[in-house]
Amino acid sequence: MLAACKKDSSSDGLKERALTSGTWKLLNGYTQVYLRDSFIISRDDIAGMDSCEQDNLFYFKSDHGTVEDPNIKRCWDDTGLVWLGGTWQFAGGESQLTYKFTLSPFIPTVTADILKLDEQTLTLQYKWDVDTFSFITTKMYQNVGVSRYKQ
């Protein structure tokens, strides 16, 4: 008797290759605020960012390290400093992305739902609660080129 099974899509490495082969730039983002499950407001996160933050580049390395590069417009004169490094891993059968910032004591670990991940687009959604308020932040990143980090 012969039996066949469908290959588990989480083990084929497509998502990891898409994530690690790109240079990701924040395209848009917004946060929705709820009070006791009732919608209050939606905020454009990009509009609230300094222009020097809007061109930052994000890299997810194949060795599971992360890098955030301030790119061209820098918020301070750091002449080449690459910052907010850390580590990343998939969770929930590749439906979530967890990353740990090694240089930030304020945001040690973040887990986001992956709404979309392919060679061109990465869309993440973060959810958290503070007292009776709930926050849902959605951020879309565009792949703007081949990653310069191969490891």
Side-chain angles (χ1 to χ4, degrees), residues 1-144:
M1 180 168 128
L2 295 174
C5 61
K6 184 178 176 183
K7 185 177 180 182
D8 181 3
S9 63
S10 66
S11 65
D12 62 14
L14 291 176
K15 283 188 175 183
E16 184 165 340
R17 278 194 299 278
L19 186 67
T20 59
S21 65
T23 297
W24 301 97
K25 181 177 181 288
L26 184 61
L27 188 61
N28 64 48
Y30 58 91
T31 298
Q32 296 174 320
V33 182
Y34 296 81
L35 174 62
R36 294 187 185 99
D37 297 325
S38 296
F39 176 75
I40 298 175
I41 192 170
S42 183
R43 180 189 77 188
D44 179 350
D45 293 338
I46 303 296
M49 294 172 70
D50 290 332
S51 64
C52 59
E53 296 175 293
Q54 294 177 13
D55 73 335
N56 289 3
L57 301 175
F58 301 87
Y59 303 92
F60 296 89
K61 302 187 312 183
S62 59
D63 68 357
H64 290 255
T66 63
V67 176
E68 181 178 349
D69 186 336
N71 200 13
I72 297 167
K73 296 179 187 173
R74 299 178 184 271
C75 296
W76 55 86
D77 184 21
D78 58 9
T79 58
L81 177 67
V82 174
W83 51 286
L84 282 185
T87 59
W88 71 271
Q89 66 183 14
F90 286 121
E94 295 187 346
S95 66
Q96 295 178 313
L97 182 66
T98 298
Y99 47 101
K100 181 177 182 178
F101 297 106
T102 56
L103 299 178
S104 175
F106 305 108
I107 312 171
T109 303
V110 174
T111 299
D113 294 327
I114 300 171
L115 301 183
K116 183 175 183 178
L117 173 55
D118 59 31
E119 293 177 355
Q120 300 302 315
T121 306
L122 170 62
T123 305
L124 300 174
Q125 188 171 77
Y126 315 86
K127 299 174 184 176
W128 72 99
D129 296 313
V130 177
D131 295 325
T132 57
F133 291 93
S134 297
F135 302 85
I136 300 174
T137 296
T138 304
K139 294 190 176 184
M140 180 188 289
Y141 300 85
Q142 179 181 21
N143 186 348
V144 294

